[in-house]
Amino acid sequence: MEMTAHNMEQAFDDFVISMNRTSKNTDADGINVPQRIEMFDRNIRSLYQLIDNDWLKKGLESGFIKTGEERISINERLLGIYDVNAKWIQIGAKRLTLEPIGTVLVGIDARIDLIYKYKEIMLVLLAGEGKKKKPQWKYVVANGKVAYEPLTKDSFQKLIMDVVYETDRI
């Protein structure tokens, strides 16, 4: 059956309406931008709460550790410019920063770098296999090849000590 000009025009109009109806806030790459940014922000806040309410709780309660947050802007090609919170950790005269890097990254749901002076340690949120498992924060170890280790209270505290000792030795 041949399409007439009128039928083609109607078919195209229907196509345009359908694409707009299904896209809402989804961009050309199939990413729902507001939803992706909100999920990244939720993941960041969840990690920060875990740090304050568990991993560094004893030091915070004693006053030997202080933490705070400050708003930063991130520019991701697929999401544009948006704001999230970075976190600082003050231990004595040492100040470390947790700086969110992005959420549109291959194989991971989020990346935050733990930074002290010139040293950066990548913290990544890896999705569970086929979304069956709960996403888990890990840190990246690069000894010849990249490996992911679970980010736990113990590993987080060790990362802080290691990065401070390593950079202050030089």
Side-chain angles (χ1 to χ4, degrees), residues 91 93-97 114-121 158-170:
I91 304 173
K94 311 302 181 191
R95 188 177 182 111
L96 299 95
T97 305
L114 174 62
I115 303 169
Y116 179 69
K117 294 185 178 179
Y118 61 85
K119 183 83 172 167
E120 298 176 3
I121 298 168
K158 184 170 182 343
L159 286 173
I160 289 174
M161 291 186 297
D162 288 351
V163 74
V164 169
Y165 287 144
E166 180 183 331
T167 54
D168 284 352
R169 227 180 317 152
I170 296 172

Side-chain angles (χ1 to χ4, degrees), residues 1 3 13 17 21 23 25 32 37-38 40 45 48 70 83 90 112-113 118 134 136 143 146 152 166:
M1 174 173 127
M3 286 202 133
D13 288 348
I17 289 167
R21 190 176 296 133
S23 75
N25 293 316
N32 183 314
I37 293 170
E38 173 57 31
F40 185 38
R45 284 183 280 134
Y48 293 172
E70 53 192 45
D83 294 336
Q90 187 82 33
I112 299 174
D113 286 356
Y118 61 85
K134 183 180 175 192
Q136 184 181 17
N143 290 342
V146 174
T152 63
E166 180 183 331

Side-chain angles (χ1 to χ4, degrees), residues 67-158:
T67 64
E69 296 179 20
E70 53 192 45
R71 216 64 181 147
I72 63 166
S73 290
I74 294 178
N75 186 358
E76 289 193 82
R77 187 180 63 79
L78 297 175
L79 301 180
I81 299 172
Y82 60 94
D83 294 336
V84 293
N85 283 349
K87 182 174 198 63
W88 52 266
I89 300 168
Q90 187 82 33
I91 304 173
K94 311 302 181 191
R95 188 177 182 111
L96 299 95
T97 305
L98 287 163
E99 184 176 314
I101 301 300
T103 183
V104 182
L105 305 158
V106 177
I108 61 174
D109 290 333
R111 176 179 160 193
I112 299 174
D113 286 356
L114 174 62
I115 303 169
Y116 179 69
K117 294 185 178 179
Y118 61 85
K119 183 83 172 167
E120 298 176 3
I121 298 168
M122 277 192 276
L123 310 179
V124 296
L125 184 63
L126 297 177
E129 296 168 17
K131 300 288 183 188
K132 291 178 186 170
K133 289 177 156 180
K134 183 180 175 192
Q136 184 181 17
W137 283 101
K138 301 198 177 231
Y139 64 98
V140 177
V141 179
N143 290 342
K145 66 180 194 174
V146 174
Y148 299 104
E149 295 293 330
L151 189 64
T152 63
K153 178 179 182 174
D154 289 343
S155 66
F156 185 71
Q157 291 175 352
K158 184 170 182 343

Side-chain angles (χ1 to χ4, degrees), residues 34-49:
Q35 184 180 47
R36 188 71 176 248
I37 293 170
E38 173 57 31
M39 180 61 76
F40 185 38
D41 192 49
R42 238 189 340 262
N43 289 329
I44 292 167
R45 284 183 280 134
S46 174
L47 179 62
Y48 293 172
Q49 287 172 359

Side-chain angles (χ1 to χ4, degrees), residues 50-67:
L50 188 59
I51 289 168
D52 283 348
N53 298 332
D54 185 5
W55 297 354
L56 299 181
K57 184 177 182 177
K58 186 177 176 185
L60 288 165
E61 287 175 346
S62 69
F64 290 116
I65 299 175
K66 293 180 179 23
T67 64

